[in-house]
């Protein structure tokens, strides 16, 4: 599985930690924001365009609180991004909402929790079925 990852300046340290962690778990990681001075709007755009272009299977965005990346990512048609700060939400948003990207706040979660969130998200699969109705509704909105 190819994971696109990006951060703004406030999420850079956590992004680097998660990037190495994911590589150790044999994920192919594509860092869309190697610079350490970006705004969350720029990092979200890079990851979203990569997902929409088929460059990766799932995306992870990191800023200080997660909210900015979340709002920016959801401006893109056919992107469903969820702001998450716990493992259960990360799992369920993928399972029920077919989330293509998660946003994490580096000022909200520490490194261990961030790793657990990423694991829950990447190990969960979309359930489809009755949930597809909402996905179709979301994609029609933009």
């Amino acid at each position: 599985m190819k994971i696109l990852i990006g951060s703004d300046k406030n999420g850079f340290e956590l992004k680097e930690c998660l990037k190495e962690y994911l590589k150790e778990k044999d994920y192919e990681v594509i860092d869309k924001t190697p610079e350490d001075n970006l705004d969350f709007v720029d990092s979200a755009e890079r990851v979203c365009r990569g997902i929409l272009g088929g460059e990766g299977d799932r995306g992870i965005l990191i800023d200080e609180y997660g909210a900015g990346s979340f709002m920016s990512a959801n401006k893109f048609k056919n992107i469903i991004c969820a702001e998450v700060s716990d493992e259960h939400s990360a799992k369920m948003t993928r399972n029920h909402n077919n989330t293509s990207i998660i946003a994490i706040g580096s000022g909200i979660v520490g490194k261990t929790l961030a790793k657990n969130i990423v694991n829950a998200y990447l190990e969960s699969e979309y359930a489809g079925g009755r949930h597809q109705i909402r996905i179709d509704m979301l994609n029609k909105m933009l």
Side-chain angles (χ1 to χ4, degrees):
M1 183 183 306
K2 289 184 187 177
I3 310 302
L4 302 185
I5 194 166
S7 72
D8 70 356
K9 58 186 172 283
N10 294 316
F12 189 82
E13 183 181 337
L14 183 57
K15 179 198 70 172
E16 292 298 306
C17 172
L18 289 175
K19 190 168 72 172
E20 292 309 311
Y21 175 72
L22 290 167
K23 287 179 182 178
E24 289 171 8
K25 293 184 66 77
D26 292 325
Y27 287 102
E28 183 177 346
V29 180
I30 301 169
D31 185 353
K32 300 298 286 182
T33 59
E35 309 95 321
D36 64 358
N37 62 347
L38 292 176
D39 188 270
F40 62 75
V41 175
D42 297 321
S43 61
E45 180 177 9
R46 290 181 186 185
V47 171
C48 288
R49 291 196 188 284
I51 292 292
L52 292 170
E55 190 178 339
D57 303 301
R58 304 221 193 136
I60 300 168
L61 289 166
I62 305 135
D63 65 34
E64 189 168 5
Y65 302 110
S69 294
F70 161 77
M71 291 185 290
S72 298
N74 281 310
K75 295 289 185 181
F76 287 82
K77 184 167 178 61
N78 296 318
I79 290 290
I80 299 175
C81 178
E83 179 184 349
V84 295
S85 55
D86 66 273
E87 299 97 323
H88 185 70
S89 296
K91 174 185 174 183
M92 296 311 293
T93 196
R94 177 66 188 165
N95 190 261
H96 287 188
N97 305 120
N98 200 20
T99 307
S100 52
I101 300 173
I102 57 169
I104 301 172
S106 63
I108 305 294
V109 303
K111 291 177 181 177
T112 300
L113 180 54
K115 290 174 185 177
N116 292 341
I117 288 168
V118 166
N119 283 338
Y121 170 62
L122 296 177
E123 292 171 4
S124 182
E125 289 298 328
Y126 178 49
R130 66 183 175 91
H131 305 294
Q132 188 59 44
I133 295 166
R134 288 191 303 270
I135 303 309
D136 294 339
M137 291 169 71
L138 286 169
N139 287 330
K140 287 179 185 177
M141 292 177 82
L142 302 173

